[in-house]
């Protein structure tokens, strides 16, 4: 399954799609990126005259790239146009170290901890363009096809 196919199967659309590209993917993990554009909907109110990307959006970005894209790849033999993935996500712990500003490109690196009984658990981290750690944590999700 090619990276462009994985993005096609994501159950998101703008303004809540936070995946620009899947750079690398295997049975064990995924690397992808996203650039937070100046006109993102959440910058209007977070924070007044000093926009930064909310932590919940950073967590969502890590989940979309690090768990959902990987889950789609792992279920590639069961997914089709008529059998799309259904996803429920949870984050166990995410620690934040640096802010992400408008027009900043980030890279998410995810390593599979386990995938059994349709539950995928990953260690994820987000790096900025200077290769500095923005945040990291554990995110899991149930991924099934219907």
């Amino acid at each position: 399954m090619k990276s462009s196919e994985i993005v096609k199967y994501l159950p998101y659309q703008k303004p809540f799609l936070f995946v620009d590209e899947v750079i690398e993917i295997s049975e064990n993990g995924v690397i992808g990126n996203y650039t937070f554009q100046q006109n993102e909907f959440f910058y209007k109110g977070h924070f007044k005259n000093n926009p930064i990307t909310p932590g919940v959006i950073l967590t969502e970005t890590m989940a979309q790239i690090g768990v959902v894209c990987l889950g789609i790849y792992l279920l590639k033999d069961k997914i089709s146009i008529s059998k799309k993935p259904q996803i429920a996500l949870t984050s166990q712990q995410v620690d934040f170290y640096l802010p992400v500003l408008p027009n900043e490109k980030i890279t998410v690196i995810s390593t599979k901890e386990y995938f059994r009984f349709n539950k995928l658990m990953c260690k994820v981290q987000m790096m900025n363009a200077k290769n500095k750690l923005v945040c990291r944590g554990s995110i899991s999700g149930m991924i099934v096809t219907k």
Side-chain angles (χ1 to χ4, degrees), residues 29-73:
V30 61
I31 300 172
N33 61 45
Y34 183 74
T35 300
F36 289 96
Q37 301 299 320
Q38 180 78 35
N39 63 348
E40 301 278 3
F41 70 93
F42 44 81
Y43 288 135
K44 293 176 184 166
H46 192 266
F47 290 102
K48 190 175 180 179
N49 300 319
N50 186 28
I52 66 168
T53 309
V56 68
I57 299 294
L58 298 178
T59 302
E60 178 67 23
T61 304
M62 289 193 300
Q64 286 186 19
I65 295 171
V67 178
V68 180
C69 287
L70 182 57
I72 289 169
Y73 179 80

Side-chain angles (χ1 to χ4, degrees), residues 56-93:
V56 68
I57 299 294
L58 298 178
T59 302
E60 178 67 23
T61 304
M62 289 193 300
Q64 286 186 19
I65 295 171
V67 178
V68 180
C69 287
L70 182 57
I72 289 169
Y73 179 80
L74 294 172
L75 291 173
K76 63 184 174 266
D77 296 332
K78 298 178 182 177
I79 292 174
S80 67
I81 295 299
S82 62
K83 292 179 104 177
K84 295 187 178 185
Q86 303 292 309
I87 296 144
L89 297 167
T90 63
S91 62
Q92 291 188 313
Q93 179 181 353

Side-chain angles (χ1 to χ4, degrees), residues 48 64 109 114 126 137:
K48 190 175 180 179
Q64 286 186 19
I109 302 160
Y114 64 81
M126 181 181 288

Side-chain angles (χ1 to χ4, degrees), residues 7-23:
V7 174
K8 178 178 73 172
Y9 284 113
L10 288 171
Y12 312 102
Q13 64 183 18
K14 286 292 185 186
F16 214 76
L17 173 64
F18 302 113
V19 181
D20 285 337
E21 177 184 31
V22 174
I23 300 166

